[in-house]
Amino acid sequence: MDLFITSFTIFVLAIFVGFEVINKVPPLLHTPLMSGSNAISGITVVGAMISVATPNTFTTILGFIAVVLAMINVVGGFVVTHRMLGMFKRKG
Amino acid sequence: MDLFITSFTIFVLAIFVGFEVINKVPPLLHTPLMSGSNAISGITVVGAMISVATPNTFTTILGFIAVVLAMINVVGGFVVTHRMLGMFKRKG
Amino acid sequence: MQSALINIAYLIASVLFIVGLIKLAHPRTAVQGNLLGAIGMLIAIVATLLDRGIIAAGANGYLVIFAGLLVGSIIGTLMAVKVQMTAMPQMVALLNGFGGGASILVAGAALVDAKDPNLQLTVATVASGIIGAVTFWGSLVAFAKLQDIISDRFGRFSGQQFFNAAMLLSSFGLGAWIVADPTVTYAYWLLVVAASVLGVFIVTPIGGADMPVAIALLNSYSGLAGAATGFVLNNNGLIITGSLVGASGIILSQIMCKAMNRSLANVLFGGMGTLPTGGPTADQVYGGKVKSATAEEIVMLFENARRVVIVPGYGMAVSQAQHAVRDLTTILEDRGIEVEFAIHPVAGRMPGHMNVLLAEADIEYDKMKELDEINPTFEQTDVAVVIGANDVVNPVARTDPSSPIAGMPILNVDKARTVVVIKRSLSPGFAGIPNPLFAADNTLMFFADGKKAILDLIGALKAA
Amino acid sequence: MQSALINIAYLIASVLFIVGLIKLAHPRTAVQGNLLGAIGMLIAIVATLLDRGIIAAGANGYLVIFAGLLVGSIIGTLMAVKVQMTAMPQMVALLNGFGGGASILVAGAALVDAKDPNLQLTVATVASGIIGAVTFWGSLVAFAKLQDIISDRFGRFSGQQFFNAAMLLSSFGLGAWIVADPTVTYAYWLLVVAASVLGVFIVTPIGGADMPVAIALLNSYSGLAGAATGFVLNNNGLIITGSLVGASGIILSQIMCKAMNRSLANVLFGGMGTLPTGGPTADQVYGGKVKSATAEEIVMLFENARRVVIVPGYGMAVSQAQHAVRDLTTILEDRGIEVEFAIHPVAGRMPGHMNVLLAEADIEYDKMKELDEINPTFEQTDVAVVIGANDVVNPVARTDPSSPIAGMPILNVDKARTVVVIKRSLSPGFAGIPNPLFAADNTLMFFADGKKAILDLIGALKAA
Ligand SMILES: NC(=O)c1ccc[n+]([C@@H]2O[C@H](COP(=O)([O-])OP(=O)(O)OC[C@H]3O[C@@H](n4cnc5c(N)ncnc54)[C@H](OP(=O)(O)O)[C@@H]3O)[C@@H](O)[C@H]2O)c1
Ligand SMILES: NC(=O)c1ccc[n+]([C@@H]2O[C@H](COP(=O)([O-])OP(=O)(O)OC[C@H]3O[C@@H](n4cnc5c(N)ncnc54)[C@H](OP(=O)(O)O)[C@@H]3O)[C@@H](O)[C@H]2O)c1
């Protein structure tokens, strides 16, 4: 229970950080913000890797599919964001 | 060790929250900000209360003094901030 | 000690994500911010390779993991490199869905694998399963709608909201069962099915143009699903990152709703997307009052202009006119005309959509002005060129409190000396209402496909 | 379960603190924000009463705790109600010191009491002890200096920085000993003594006017000491709150340093506060060029003015002139003159100092303008009235790159049609340099104590 409350505390603080930080992103960059934040939500890949390593074949297969899905999310998100941001140029 | 890292994570997140939140306070309110944030730093009173409740008389005395000091900080801070903020008025 | 190292790595990764998001707030540091995020992810992945369980699984385990990482990376890279800038909303929806899908599977595997599941694990697993499945299927439906794979009519039926409520309650019921008896793992897959059905039919009735709000919200859900998975695995890295993404999606959907002057509930369940009733008809608004112009006539306007403001909208994205617009801008600027862009927060079909398209065409971002900044300047503007925008320049929002877009802040192009509107017809935009701007005294319509129209203008300018 | 409840209460308290700080950012919600913080504190204290150890200590324990809470509350309330607004810097310093003192004692008690102290406990205890003692004594010295209990010359000697470094190293050495052998609890008290000496002699050399930066920094330290105590007790509430306060103090000291165009290191260890060398002397600057005026002459200026800007500085605080200034403002406004206040970020001796004093005198906060907002308006200002400000209106900052205040952003009062400067003499302000503004063509000096000068002006206005 104490462990849960600690994790929940982290959750609450991270939400505050998220709100404060995201609110400062200007409309100009909202599309890259969407794809970029999308990319980091692929952090689930880390959990998926652990699922792969279970002795149970069924969960290994689930884990493998999850690694693939999450990794598409991660790599696709970062690369497309990079592509978009590379286009934003300043005068001169 | 894991417990420490979790606590440290909370520390880091809270610092981010602090920086983001405090940076938005306008100069107009910097003095109340100083006294108000001062007041909440008196949260040490909570630790002091626990020290009072130890069986050891020496630590009970330390705890008592700490409760008094922290409570001056808390109550003095909130009351003086309230007094100051009560002065700020808008036209009309 | 090992697990401590891994947790430190997750903390570093989380800090890099946060700093990355902070840097994403300025165009000059945004590229760096995105890179920091990618580095954080790399650190998290490499650290996880040291996990006790993964090391125990030995070479085979590593093989499967690397295979998965590789396959995912290749597919992700291909998608990201191939996608057209105009298809960004779909792309985000799809990636989003994959993240949600991964959460379903990871939580399911953890439940199957758990020796002695406690309350936190089961509750969090249930949450991951429900949110993940709604995200996955909701995002796929959003993708299919935006790609015109399925029509706006698909998957709508009367009583849909009751059906969806029933699905949600079933998921909760199955979830309660799992919490009560964590050994019935098949209940988890039933729960995923129920939540998947919910995910599909909660998104099908949302109008095509409301889809971006749904996508931002699904983005938020994918974050929350990740955070829930973090509670399943007791992994702070997942919890922090999931919360960040959860906050990001909610803020973006709020911004969109505010810019459309509608509530989130109205977007998700409300009746917009069907034709509005009441209000003046198109005939009443346009009858005999619309003036159309040729490219040559518009070029004459340019010749006497000192300041031109270009207002892009959804039609610029559809006709892929952004490069032609850039060429037009260069020509006008070469003739000493000041050119700026007025970007409405919900122009197009995604927040920041127009900015990305214009940036793609090498237009400097300091020329793209936000609503508050550009509106006071229309009175000093000689020609406002509206390309495929409609609702975001509809003055009815200011004048008619009964209109469906009443109160939505709009770009006051009607204050410019002359307004040129480029679109194919008089048909309405997303809100489905006529636009009196098209019939205004100082408005000239140029009926054509957006890209073709701009190319015509360029041709006429060069000939003149 | 009990400890879970307490931890939930701490989480709720932390959230209330954060929301309170967010609300403190707007004058309209600030009072509410402060109340939320107080409620959070109440929740934390009440929840702690349920602590297993405290319950075990029985009625006696509760008695001692309540006695402590009561005594502290009474003293705190008395101090807060009695303090003059002009003495706010001292008050903050004193409260701050008490918080640091509490951290020393709590960490010490935890060390004495620990059955099996682990690494985290000992390291955090050492940190609490060092930071707490520096905060406690540093704050007391700051208080004593600001109250003129000890002079600016007190506790300065050559080689002081080496002495301080030695004290810091001793504290670290004693700390290492404690970490190695946590049973030698007397080493902790030695450590506190060494850090206390450090705290005293690190603050004594700081110039009186630099004290606010030191206080903000000590405020930050008191937060860090609290966070360290949180690590000692594994208490997330303390960790979160301590970090918030730590961040707050650092940001405020940064803001002050930036507004003075100096580095933090320069403020803490640098030589300012002694007279600057080089630069023109007072005679060169002022010789024969200073014009002084009577109250009646200044009133004639007011009679032809449409806009007056009042620039308060440290001298307004010293002479307690704020209420007289309010009366003057009312009279001028009754005559149809527009009056605004120009507040420099480091005017006075504390950030926001002038705002609090003016607010105390019932001047609406929407009339108090920040530097960026007011500077462009001086050219349309008929009379700028400078009351006891000096450095913050010294144009040398703009013109002479070798001046000690070079590059500090200043209020451009010299751009006003006429400048009236109220101070007692031509003596310099905190930076110790002459001010060419006093010798400018459009400047009139009114030599008097700030409050008396304003009362004279009011008298003359009524007579006119
Ligand atoms: N950006 C977001 O995040 C977001 C999110 C949700 C909803 N929305 C909604 O989407 C709408 C956006 O406003 P908007 O002004 O950009 O678009 P709009 O009001 O939907 O109008 C787009 C116009 O573009 C024209 N068009 C379509 N294809 C074209 C082509 N190939 N060439 C030239 N013109 C073409 C259409 O007229 P013709 O058919 O006559 O050519 C149509 O009237 C708003 O109602 C907003 O609330 C936006
Ligand atoms: N606000 C902060 O947070 C902060 C923090 C650290 C340092 N500082 C420093 O403090 C300075 C603040 O600038 P400032 O312009 O407000 O003050 P200042 O430059 O220190 O000048 C104050 C002036 O007030 C006059 N004065 C003193 N007592 C007076 C009285 N009773 N009646 C009338 N005049 C009186 C003095 O001249 P006479 O003796 O001739 O009367 C003096 O020249 C800056 O240099 C700043 O860097 C401020």
Side-chain angles (χ1 to χ4, degrees):
Chain A
M1 189 67 189
D2 278 352
L3 181 60
F4 168 73
I5 294 168
T6 305
S7 303
F8 191 71
T9 303
I10 290 181
F11 177 69
V12 171
L13 287 175
I15 288 195
F16 271 110
V17 175
F19 266 92
E20 295 293 332
V21 168
I22 305 285
N23 251 325
K24 290 203 292 198
V25 178
L28 174 70
L29 293 169
H30 275 168
T31 298
L33 169 65
M34 246 170 133
S35 57
S37 66
N38 207 323
I40 65 174
S41 80
I43 182 83
T44 332
V45 70
V46 152
M49 289 163 67
I50 294 171
S51 307
V52 168
T54 46
N56 182 327
T57 317
F58 176 54
T59 53
T60 302
I61 294 175
L62 292 185
F64 175 76
I65 304 176
V67 170
V68 174
L69 289 180
M71 208 58 192
I72 296 178
N73 187 349
V74 168
V75 176
F78 281 126
V79 174
V80 86
T81 308
H82 190 75
R83 234 187 98 194
M84 265 191 274
L85 290 174
M87 294 172 178
F88 281 86
K89 282 182 209 75
R90 226 186 129 73
K91 190 137 84 203
Chain B
M1 190 66 189
D2 277 353
L3 182 60
F4 168 72
I5 293 169
T6 304
S7 304
F8 191 71
T9 304
I10 290 181
F11 177 69
V12 171
L13 286 175
I15 289 196
F16 272 111
V17 175
F19 267 92
E20 295 293 333
V21 167
I22 305 287
N23 251 325
K24 290 203 293 199
V25 179
L28 173 70
L29 293 170
H30 275 168
T31 298
L33 170 66
M34 247 170 131
S35 57
S37 65
N38 206 323
I40 64 172
S41 80
I43 182 82
T44 333
V45 70
V46 152
M49 289 163 67
I50 295 170
S51 307
V52 168
T54 47
N56 181 326
T57 315
F58 176 54
T59 52
T60 301
I61 295 175
L62 291 186
F64 175 77
I65 304 176
V67 169
V68 173
L69 289 180
M71 209 56 192
I72 297 178
N73 188 349
V74 168
V75 176
F78 282 126
V79 174
V80 87
T81 308
H82 190 77
R83 233 186 99 195
M84 264 190 273
L85 290 174
M87 294 171 178
F88 281 86
K89 283 182 210 76
R90 225 186 131 73
K91 190 135 85 204
Chain C
M1 203 55 221
Q2 203 180 19
S3 89
L5 268 183
I6 296 180
N7 282 330
I8 292 175
Y10 289 163
L11 175 58
I12 295 174
S14 306
V15 169
L16 287 173
F17 294 154
I18 295 173
V19 175
L21 287 176
I22 291 175
K23 290 194 175 258
L24 216 57
H26 303 285
R28 247 171 299 176
T29 54
V31 173
Q32 200 191 347
N34 189 49
L35 284 179
L36 286 183
I39 293 173
M41 192 60 77
L42 189 68
I43 292 177
I45 291 175
V46 170
T48 307
L49 292 173
L50 301 178
D51 179 86
R52 202 185 309 269
I54 294 185
I55 290 179
N60 270 339
Y62 280 111
L63 209 70
V64 179
I65 289 176
F66 281 122
L69 292 175
L70 195 70
V71 173
S73 301
I74 293 175
I75 301 180
T77 309
L78 285 180
M79 284 173 62
V81 172
K82 288 265 163 82
V83 66
Q84 299 243 346
M85 283 300 138
T86 40
M88 215 34 84
Q90 293 91 301
M91 173 80 177
V92 170
L94 203 59
L95 292 177
N96 212 9
F98 291 161
S103 291
I104 308 177
L105 301 179
V106 173
L111 183 70
V112 171
D113 203 51
K115 309 250 149 16
D116 180 23
N118 62 12
L119 191 67
Q120 176 181 336
L121 188 141
T122 51
V123 172
T125 301
V126 168
S128 295
I130 298 179
I131 308 177
V134 170
T135 307
F136 182 66
W137 286 101
S139 300
L140 287 192
V141 170
F143 169 79
K145 280 196 155 198
L146 290 172
Q147 279 290 69
D148 285 326
I149 297 174
I150 59 178
S151 87
D152 249 14
R153 305 273 141 222
F154 174 85
R156 291 185 177 207
F157 49 89
S158 61
Q160 187 152 3
Q161 302 196 5
F162 294 100
F163 176 80
N164 287 342
M167 283 298 128
L168 185 64
L169 285 181
S170 315
S171 317
F172 283 164
L174 289 161
W177 185 15
I178 295 169
V179 172
D181 179 2
T183 58
V184 289
T185 53
Y186 65 87
Y188 179 75
W189 304 110
L190 290 177
L191 172 151
V192 169
V193 171
S196 299
V197 174
L198 174 64
V200 170
F201 291 107
I202 209 167
V203 175
T204 48
I206 299 177
D210 272 341
M211 217 32 93
V213 184
I215 293 177
L217 212 62
L218 289 168
N219 193 8
S220 169
Y221 289 171
S222 79
L224 294 181
T229 312
F231 280 99
V232 173
L233 305 175
N234 264 317
N235 182 322
N236 292 334
L238 256 72
I239 296 179
I240 296 175
T241 315
S243 322
L244 293 175
V245 179
S248 150
I250 287 182
I251 290 178
L252 286 177
S253 49
Q254 275 176 348
I255 289 175
M256 279 187 266
C257 287
K258 218 168 125 192
M260 297 194 286
N261 198 36
R262 289 166 67 196
S263 74
L264 196 54
N266 179 279
V267 168
L268 297 183
F269 310 113
M272 202 142 161
T274 52
L275 287 182
T277 51
T281 64
D283 276 354
Q284 286 167 346
V285 172
Y286 300 135
K289 280 179 277 178
V290 174
K291 297 182 293 295
S292 84
T294 63
E296 285 68 29
E297 285 164 343
I298 295 168
V299 163
M300 276 169 54
L301 289 174
F302 286 149
E303 280 174 349
N304 297 314
R306 279 185 307 163
R307 176 179 162 84
V308 169
V309 172
I310 299 179
V311 184
Y314 177 57
M316 183 183 83
V318 175
S319 66
Q320 302 251 38
Q322 64 269 27
H323 297 280
V325 167
R326 191 261 334 273
D327 292 340
L328 176 66
T329 308
T330 316
I331 294 174
L332 292 177
E333 284 180 340
D334 284 349
R335 305 197 171 190
I337 301 171
E338 177 191 7
V339 182
E340 287 190 329
F341 292 83
I343 314 287
H344 191 278
V346 292
R349 289 293 179 266
M350 179 153 168
H353 197 172
M354 296 297 117
N355 302 97
V356 171
L357 295 181
L358 294 176
E360 185 197 7
D362 279 330
I363 290 167
E364 296 95 354
Y365 60 76
D366 22 17
K367 283 194 202 142
M368 311 176 197
K369 304 295 180 189
E370 288 176 32
L371 192 121
D372 289 341
E373 205 182 334
I374 199 95
N375 259 347
T377 73
F378 277 115
E379 290 177 17
Q380 287 90 53
T381 299
D382 299 301
V383 187
V385 182
V386 177
I387 315 182
N390 189 340
D391 299 340
V392 301
V393 294
N394 192 337
V396 152
R398 287 196 317 253
T399 53
D400 178 1
S402 70
S403 144
I405 61 168
M408 164 169 148
I410 63 153
L411 291 165
N412 299 328
V413 286
D414 50 337
K415 300 268 165 45
R417 206 138 61 98
T418 317
V419 185
V420 173
V421 177
I422 299 171
K423 63 200 295 284
R424 295 164 308 179
S425 65
L426 282 176
S427 56
F430 158 61
I433 50 171
N435 188 339
L437 173 73
F438 305 159
D441 281 344
N442 58 339
T443 298
L444 293 175
M445 301 298 296
F446 185 12
F447 291 113
D449 169 80
K451 183 170 176 183
K452 198 184 151 297
I454 301 288
L455 292 177
D456 283 356
L457 287 181
I458 293 176
L461 266 169
K462 287 194 174 150
Chain D
M1 203 56 222
Q2 203 179 21
S3 89
L5 269 183
I6 297 179
N7 283 330
I8 291 174
Y10 288 164
L11 176 58
I12 295 174
S14 306
V15 169
L16 287 173
F17 293 154
I18 295 172
V19 175
L21 286 176
I22 291 175
K23 291 195 176 259
L24 215 58
H26 303 284
R28 246 172 300 178
T29 54
V31 173
Q32 201 192 346
N34 189 49
L35 284 179
L36 286 183
I39 293 173
M41 192 61 77
L42 189 68
I43 291 176
I45 291 175
V46 171
T48 307
L49 292 174
L50 300 178
D51 178 85
R52 203 185 309 269
I54 294 184
I55 291 178
N60 270 339
Y62 280 112
L63 210 70
V64 179
I65 288 175
F66 281 122
L69 292 175
L70 195 70
V71 173
S73 302
I74 293 175
I75 301 178
T77 310
L78 286 180
M79 284 173 62
V81 172
K82 289 265 163 82
V83 66
Q84 299 241 347
M85 283 301 138
T86 40
M88 214 36 82
Q90 294 92 300
M91 173 79 177
V92 170
L94 204 58
L95 292 177
N96 213 8
F98 291 162
S103 292
I104 310 177
L105 301 179
V106 173
L111 182 70
V112 171
D113 202 52
K115 310 251 147 19
D116 179 23
N118 61 11
L119 191 68
Q120 176 181 336
L121 187 142
T122 51
V123 172
T125 301
V126 167
S128 296
I130 298 179
I131 308 177
V134 169
T135 307
F136 182 67
W137 287 101
S139 300
L140 287 191
V141 171
F143 169 79
K145 281 196 153 194
L146 290 172
Q147 279 290 70
D148 285 325
I149 298 174
I150 60 178
S151 86
D152 250 12
R153 307 273 140 221
F154 174 84
R156 292 187 178 204
F157 47 89
S158 60
Q160 188 152 2
Q161 302 195 3
F162 294 100
F163 176 80
N164 286 342
M167 283 299 127
L168 185 64
L169 285 180
S170 316
S171 316
F172 284 164
L174 289 161
W177 185 14
I178 296 168
V179 171
D181 178 3
T183 58
V184 289
T185 54
Y186 67 86
Y188 179 76
W189 305 111
L190 290 178
L191 171 151
V192 168
V193 170
S196 299
V197 175
L198 173 64
V200 170
F201 290 108
I202 208 167
V203 175
T204 49
I206 299 178
D210 272 341
M211 219 30 95
V213 183
I215 293 177
L217 213 60
L218 290 167
N219 194 7
S220 170
Y221 290 170
S222 79
L224 294 180
T229 311
F231 280 99
V232 173
L233 305 175
N234 264 317
N235 182 322
N236 291 335
L238 256 72
I239 295 179
I240 296 175
T241 315
S243 322
L244 292 176
V245 179
S248 151
I250 287 182
I251 290 178
L252 286 177
S253 50
Q254 274 176 348
I255 289 175
M256 279 187 266
C257 288
K258 218 168 124 193
M260 295 194 287
N261 198 35
R262 291 166 66 196
S263 73
L264 197 53
N266 179 281
V267 168
L268 296 182
F269 309 113
M272 201 140 161
T274 53
L275 286 181
T277 52
T281 65
D283 276 355
Q284 286 167 343
V285 172
Y286 301 135
K289 280 179 276 178
V290 176
K291 298 181 293 293
S292 83
T294 64
E296 287 68 27
E297 285 163 342
I298 296 168
V299 163
M300 276 169 56
L301 289 175
F302 287 149
E303 281 173 350
N304 298 313
R306 279 184 306 163
R307 175 179 162 84
V308 170
V309 172
I310 299 179
V311 183
Y314 177 58
M316 182 182 84
V318 176
S319 66
Q320 302 250 37
Q322 62 270 27
H323 297 280
V325 167
R326 191 257 337 272
D327 293 340
L328 177 64
T329 308
T330 316
I331 294 175
L332 291 178
E333 285 180 339
D334 284 348
R335 304 195 172 194
I337 301 171
E338 176 190 8
V339 183
E340 288 189 328
F341 292 82
I343 315 287
H344 191 277
V346 292
R349 289 292 178 268
M350 179 154 171
H353 197 171
M354 295 297 118
N355 302 96
V356 171
L357 294 181
L358 295 176
E360 185 197 7
D362 279 331
I363 290 166
E364 297 96 353
Y365 60 77
D366 23 15
K367 282 193 202 139
M368 310 174 195
K369 304 295 180 189
E370 289 176 32
L371 192 122
D372 290 340
E373 205 182 337
I374 199 95
N375 259 348
T377 73
F378 277 116
E379 289 178 16
Q380 288 90 51
T381 299
D382 300 302
V383 188
V385 183
V386 177
I387 314 182
N390 190 340
D391 299 339
V392 301
V393 294
N394 193 336
V396 153
R398 285 197 317 253
T399 54
D400 178 1
S402 70
S403 145
I405 60 168
M408 163 169 147
I410 64 153
L411 291 165
N412 300 327
V413 287
D414 51 336
K415 300 268 169 29
R417 205 137 63 97
T418 317
V419 185
V420 173
V421 177
I422 299 170
K423 63 200 296 282
R424 296 164 308 179
S425 65
L426 281 176
S427 56
F430 158 60
I433 51 171
N435 188 339
L437 174 74
F438 305 159
D441 282 345
N442 59 339
T443 299
L444 292 175
M445 301 298 295
F446 185 12
F447 292 114
D449 168 81
K451 182 170 175 179
K452 199 185 152 294
I454 301 289
L455 292 176
D456 284 356
L457 286 181
I458 293 175
L461 265 169
K462 288 196 173 147

